[in-house]
Amino acid sequence: MGIGKGTEMGKKVLITASHYEELCGEAKALFERNGYELVINQKDMPYYTFEELSQLVTDVDGVVLGLDEWNEAVFKIAPRLKVLAKFGVGVDNIDLEKAKEYGIKVLNARGKNANAVAELAVAFILNAMRQIPWLDGELKEGSWHRFVGRELAGKTVGLLGFGDIARRVAKKLSGFDVRLIACDKYPDEEAAKRLNVTMVSQEELLGESDVVSIHVPNTPDNHHLMDRDAFAMMKQGAYFINTARGGLMDTEALCDAVESGHLAGAATDVYEYEPLKRGDRILSIPSIITTPHTGAETSEVYRAVSLSTAKGVMDVLEGREPENWVNRW
């Protein structure tokens, strides 16, 4: 069904996702063309505190949200709220059951950022094994260190989780002459066969992989899936890659595993608490590459996700059933 004028003009949409003005012009124009009033995040970071949200949500009908927390405390003071559209895929910052109780439909942009995150995971693997960021920093400081790294060819890469992003990683790595293994609660044997990936148990994956890249959802069952025991099960000198969620790993255990030399290095885009603060331990370890939750930060993703979420919000507020409805009832 096509996008048309809202059934009620003057619907109000809050956007807490960042960079909307600069990178989401088509979606912004789509909203405005259809009579929606927008309140747009002017900060660099997609995190609003409860106090900030409390000043904004009392009269909004829909939200395109970033990484702020949406729970009953917010829902109680947002009587008009009918739809939350996550600017991305993971909805672990939204209380889905409480949203359902309050009649709020939660949407995501499934698949729209998968390629960008998969590309970052591959970049992390190569950068970690050759320590490119550290070498760049050292050279710019005047030090001519010729770090002896490792080649990816001939290694075993383990994908912990085998959903869309992991499958894209497997496809991108297919030309690197690697052995690919994966584990998943609900293994897609057909996709594994197509991508030349061998499905194994989690224990086998951790014990056999030279690189472990994690791609599972951040559910309560998966909290600290990579804990001290899991890191200890990894091969001596292996690498750990996380482009999924920070809660999947015990950060202190990762730091210990790398600093002790058990792991050769790691790379992570996500953290248990965000944003990180100056002086956080993980930032002080040269062989752990850190980036500020930037996996989906590409112009292509901003366009695709902003259009998907805009259409989803408008579908709900105009009485149509939206795509990617996560807390369906």
Side-chain angles (χ1 to χ4, degrees), residues 14 27 36 58 71 95 105 115 122 133 136 167 174 184-185 211 220 249 269 294 302 315:
L14 169 65
Y36 287 80
T58 56
N71 51 35
D95 189 327
K105 293 179 179 176
N115 183 69
V122 174
D136 174 69
R167 292 195 294 269
S174 62
D184 196 284
K185 278 187 178 180
V211 178
M249 64 184 183
D269 186 48
T294 193
Y302 271 92
D315 280 342

Side-chain angles (χ1 to χ4, degrees), residues 20-319:
Y20 208 84
E21 292 273 12
E22 313 98 279
L23 298 175
C24 304
E26 290 179 69
K28 180 173 179 284
L30 181 63
F31 271 129
E32 292 173 342
R33 195 163 61 242
N34 285 275
Y36 287 80
E37 177 188 354
L38 301 182
V39 179
I40 298 177
N41 179 4
Q42 301 298 326
K43 306 190 301 180
D44 286 336
M45 297 298 290
Y47 305 86
Y48 272 56
T49 65
F50 173 77
E51 289 70 25
E52 290 172 320
L53 289 174
S54 69
Q55 303 300 311
L56 298 168
V57 300
T58 56
D59 62 347
V60 300
D61 302 283
V63 180
V64 177
L65 63 130
L67 297 170
D68 10 70
E69 292 290 327
W70 289 81
N71 51 35
E72 187 172 22
V74 184
F75 302 152
K76 281 181 176 179
I77 57 175
R80 285 171 46 178
L81 185 59
K82 293 292 182 287
V83 56
L84 292 170
K86 177 64 182 286
F87 200 91
V89 180
V91 290
D92 47 298
N93 57 322
I94 305 169
D95 189 327
L96 297 180
E97 288 304 314
K98 285 297 178 183
K100 185 185 295 187
E101 287 181 25
Y102 281 79
I104 301 166
K105 293 179 179 176
V106 177
L107 322 177
N108 69 0
R110 186 174 67 248
K112 303 300 182 183
N113 67 0
N115 183 69
V117 176
E119 287 189 0
L120 181 65
V122 174
F124 268 170
I125 293 170
L126 295 170
N127 276 272
M129 295 183 78
R130 298 299 293 270
Q131 280 295 296
I132 295 170
W134 179 79
L135 286 169
D136 174 69
E138 288 292 292
L139 187 56
K140 286 174 177 172
E141 291 295 322
S143 299
W144 192 266
H145 288 300
R146 299 180 66 207
F147 172 78
V148 178
R150 297 174 68 191
E151 297 179 20
L152 184 53
K155 303 299 188 296
T156 296
V157 177
L159 304 170
L160 191 51
F162 196 56
D164 186 17
I165 293 172
R167 292 195 294 269
R168 289 172 186 255
V169 171
K171 184 176 180 180
K172 294 175 192 305
L173 290 175
S174 62
F176 279 87
D177 190 25
V178 296
R179 173 186 176 227
L180 291 166
I181 60 176
C183 70
D184 196 284
K185 278 187 178 180
Y186 310 100
D188 187 334
E189 298 288 354
E190 184 179 330
K193 183 177 180 180
R194 185 176 67 250
L195 293 165
N196 198 27
V197 174
T198 302
M199 300 304 298
V200 298
S201 69
Q202 182 175 323
E203 291 74 18
E204 289 174 300
L205 184 140
L206 294 175
E208 296 178 17
S209 298
D210 299 289
V211 178
V212 172
S213 187
I214 190 167
H215 302 281
V216 299
N218 189 31
T219 61
D221 286 347
N222 286 335
H223 180 70
H224 282 191
L225 181 64
M226 292 302 298
D227 56 13
R228 291 190 183 278
D229 290 339
F231 286 122
M233 291 175 66
M234 289 178 62
K235 289 174 66 173
Q236 176 76 31
Y239 298 83
F240 175 71
I241 308 296
N242 189 358
T243 54
R245 281 291 187 269
L248 300 171
M249 64 184 183
D250 180 333
T251 305
E252 288 301 304
L254 173 63
C255 291
D256 287 345
V258 174
E259 286 200 314
S260 70
H262 178 65
L263 296 185
T268 185
D269 186 48
V270 288
Y271 309 92
E272 295 188 72
Y273 304 99
E274 298 181 3
L276 291 181
K277 298 180 179 60
R278 182 188 295 273
D280 282 345
R281 182 186 177 194
I282 195 169
L283 297 176
S284 69
I285 303 173
S287 48
I288 300 181
I289 297 170
T290 52
T291 53
H293 206 143
T294 193
E297 299 292 299
T298 70
S299 57
E300 292 86 353
V301 165
Y302 271 92
R303 180 181 184 276
V305 172
S306 63
L307 285 171
S308 173
T309 50
K311 290 174 182 176
V313 167
M314 293 173 64
D315 280 342
V316 172
L317 296 181
E318 295 174 19

